[in-house]
Amino acid sequence: QVQLVESGGGLVQAGGSLRLSCQASGSIISINAMGWYRQAPGKQRELVAHINNGGTTNYTGSVKDRFTISRDNAKKMVYLQMDYLKPEDTARYYCNADLRTSYSPLRRNVYWGQGTQVTVSS
C-alpha cells in the first residue's frame, strides 16, 4: 500500500511564505514524476508544479517566479516553497506521485495525498 501525506499548510498574510512537504511511503520501488495540484472551492483541480525524476520542473503560469518545487529522492519527498503568496493562491493543495510498487512492478500508477489547506489573507 502507498501513502502520500502532505504537511505545511496554514494561514498566512499576502506576501508571506509557506513550505509544503509531501512524504511518500509504502511498497514503492521507484518514483517517476511528482507534483503539486490545488483546488479552490467551486473550481477544478489544477496543476501547480511538476518535477520528474531527472529534476526537470514546470509550473503553471500564475506561480512562476513565486513557487519552487523540489524533491529528495532518497527520502521519497517532494516540497513546494511558496513565496509572495496572494489571496488567489488560497486552495487545498494536493501532492501526487507517479510510481511503481513492489506488488505491481511493471505498472506505473498515480497516487494522491489527502491535501493540506493553504489560506492567504489580504
Side-chain angles (χ1 to χ4, degrees):
Q1 196 165 358
V2 172
Q3 276 194 317
L4 298 179
V5 179
E6 302 96 335
S7 61
L11 173 63
V12 64
Q13 287 190 330
S17 298
L18 283 174
R19 187 186 192 222
L20 305 183
S21 300
C22 174
Q23 173 74 67
S25 63
S27 305
I28 298 170
I29 290 178
S30 62
I31 302 177
N32 183 27
M34 303 186 82
W36 287 96
Y37 288 69
R38 66 186 179 188
Q39 187 167 20
K43 295 189 176 182
Q44 288 191 331
R45 190 173 297 190
E46 64 170 352
L47 173 68
V48 176
H50 176 272
I51 183 168
N52 67 16
N53 56 5
T56 300
T57 60
N58 67 75
Y59 300 89
T60 192
S62 62
V63 309
K64 279 182 181 177
D65 300 324
R66 297 190 298 122
F67 291 9
T68 303
I69 188 170
S70 61
R71 62 190 281 177
D72 184 326
N73 291 331
K75 294 181 178 179
K76 297 187 180 67
M77 294 195 70
V78 64
Y79 307 96
L80 186 68
Q81 177 67 40
M82 305 186 295
D83 298 316
Y84 307 107
L85 281 159
K86 303 176 180 180
E88 51 263 44
D89 295 317
T90 295
R92 191 163 186 86
Y93 284 69
Y94 298 87
C95 165
N96 88 342
D98 173 2
L99 53 84
R100 298 180 194 270
T101 62
S102 59
Y103 48 84
S104 185
L106 301 181
R107 183 176 178 180
R108 283 163 52 181
N109 287 303
V110 175
Y111 292 83
W112 292 87
Q114 294 298 307
T116 184
Q117 179 67 34
V118 171
T119 303
V120 184
S121 64
S122 56

